[in-house]
Amino acid sequence: MITMVRELRAAPELLANLTRREVKGKYKRTVLGQLWSLVNPLAQMIIFTAVFSFVLRVPIPTGDPSGLHNFAVFLLCGLLPWGFFVNVINGGMDSLVANENLIKKVAFPRAALPLASAFSLTLSWSIEMVVLLVALTVLGAASLLWTPALVLVMALLFAFAFGVALLLSVANVYFRDTQHFVGILTQAWFYATPIVYPTSLVLEQSEKIGSLIGSWTLYDFYRLNPMERFVELFRSLLYDNRWPPLDSTLYCVAWALVALVVGAAVFRRHEKKLAEAL
């Protein structure tokens, strides 16, 4: 991992050019351009709010101590981080295959490709989060005060997503079915993460069912999901306006470190063989 960091730091111009290319190419020849980064989550928010708030009437908690009780805002606090995570792993997974010709012709740090994809998506995500902060402020929340902590949590999620993206980018070179499996996995993972519903609903069902294996309940297994903890961190800061629980914070730090170290190790091991495998 240290070697990879050194190589990337030694090529800042390459990384900047690749990131610029990703940003420009993503919305090339579109009328709205970068505004699509706002339109997509807003469209999802409207759809999910209509279905889960008005039709299914999913109950949501009141922000403590913010006092917020707004389904759309509650949803966005989880939906935006989730959307960033999925976009990073999908973009990183496809980055090597999409740049096959470049990899075969030019010698450069291959990790720059998934990293440039992640950086370009971070720009869009940052714009979305700024808009969310403005909306929360208009609604009376003190979310702006938690901006420094929010930036740190965003960095943690970036590290976790990028680590997973490194793993999947290598897997997709050798097994092109990877992207299809990941598509199915992320669909299931989405509903296994408290984005359109609160964690309290899972806790209620878990208490009704009781223990599953030994003393482990459904809720215990549910909380193993790292994205469940990341969503909790974002909701604590943005929706509740309070410090996230220490155990969840440490859990996210551990997942981010493990994903980065393992992802970098696997990527580094196969980096020199990528041109032959593509």
Side-chain angles (χ1 to χ4, degrees):
M1 180 176 174
I2 296 176
T3 304
M4 180 182 292
V5 172
R6 287 175 180 170
E7 290 179 348
L8 291 171
R9 287 183 63 183
E13 187 175 346
L14 169 67
L15 190 56
N17 288 333
L18 288 173
T19 302
R20 194 177 299 114
R21 186 191 66 170
E22 289 286 335
V23 172
K24 290 181 178 179
K26 188 175 182 181
Y27 300 109
K28 187 178 181 180
R29 296 182 181 178
T30 61
V31 176
L32 295 180
Q34 198 68 31
L35 286 176
W36 278 111
S37 64
L38 297 176
V39 173
N40 287 327
L42 286 176
Q44 288 182 301
M45 180 201 72
I46 293 171
I47 295 170
F48 285 131
T49 300
V51 173
F52 290 94
S53 180
F54 296 109
V55 178
L56 298 180
R57 296 186 179 278
V58 173
I60 60 167
T62 299
D64 180 21
S66 69
L68 284 176
H69 192 85
N70 185 297
F71 188 91
V73 170
F74 174 84
L75 174 66
L76 283 175
C77 289
L79 187 62
L80 294 185
W82 170 262
F84 171 74
F85 171 70
V86 172
N87 288 335
V88 168
I89 65 173
N90 284 336
M93 178 173 54
D94 188 52
S95 62
L96 300 181
V97 176
N99 291 280
E100 177 181 350
N101 293 332
L102 185 61
I103 291 174
K104 289 182 176 181
K105 293 178 181 178
V106 184
F108 64 96
R110 311 308 194 200
L113 293 171
L115 184 57
S117 175
F119 278 160
S120 68
L121 291 165
T122 301
L123 175 62
S124 301
W125 186 37
S126 299
I127 295 172
E128 295 168 0
M129 296 301 285
V130 168
V131 173
L132 177 57
L133 281 171
V134 172
L136 286 164
T137 303
V138 171
L139 291 172
S143 303
L144 282 176
L145 298 176
W146 298 92
T147 302
L150 176 64
V151 172
L152 292 177
V153 175
M154 290 173 69
L156 271 183
L157 182 56
F158 176 92
F160 175 58
F162 179 59
V164 176
L166 285 175
L167 281 171
L168 293 178
S169 65
V170 173
N172 198 43
V173 168
Y174 292 97
F175 309 102
R176 300 300 168 88
D177 291 332
T178 300
Q179 56 188 328
H180 302 293
F181 284 121
V182 171
I184 296 172
L185 174 63
T186 51
Q187 288 183 50
W189 200 348
F190 174 83
Y191 288 102
T193 303
I195 298 171
V196 295
Y197 59 87
T199 309
S200 58
L201 290 182
V202 180
L203 180 59
E204 290 176 8
Q205 293 302 315
S206 178
E207 291 174 346
K208 292 178 182 179
I209 296 172
S211 299
L212 296 178
I213 301 176
S215 61
W216 281 71
T217 64
L218 172 65
Y219 186 67
D220 294 325
F221 285 108
Y222 181 78
R223 299 226 74 196
L224 293 176
N225 175 8
M227 285 307 297
E228 187 271 338
R229 301 297 185 106
F230 273 107
V231 168
E232 181 182 26
L233 263 58
F234 280 98
R235 284 221 172 103
S236 294
L237 294 171
L238 295 171
Y239 190 76
D240 294 322
N241 296 159
R242 57 181 169 82
W243 286 109
L246 180 60
D247 62 331
S248 293
T249 304
L250 294 177
Y251 193 76
C252 290
V253 170
W255 269 103
L257 289 175
V258 169
L260 265 183
V261 172
V262 174
V266 171
F267 193 94
R268 186 70 181 171
R269 182 177 180 181
H270 293 274
E271 187 173 14
K272 294 181 180 179
K273 306 174 185 177
L274 292 176
E276 300 175 3
L278 282 166

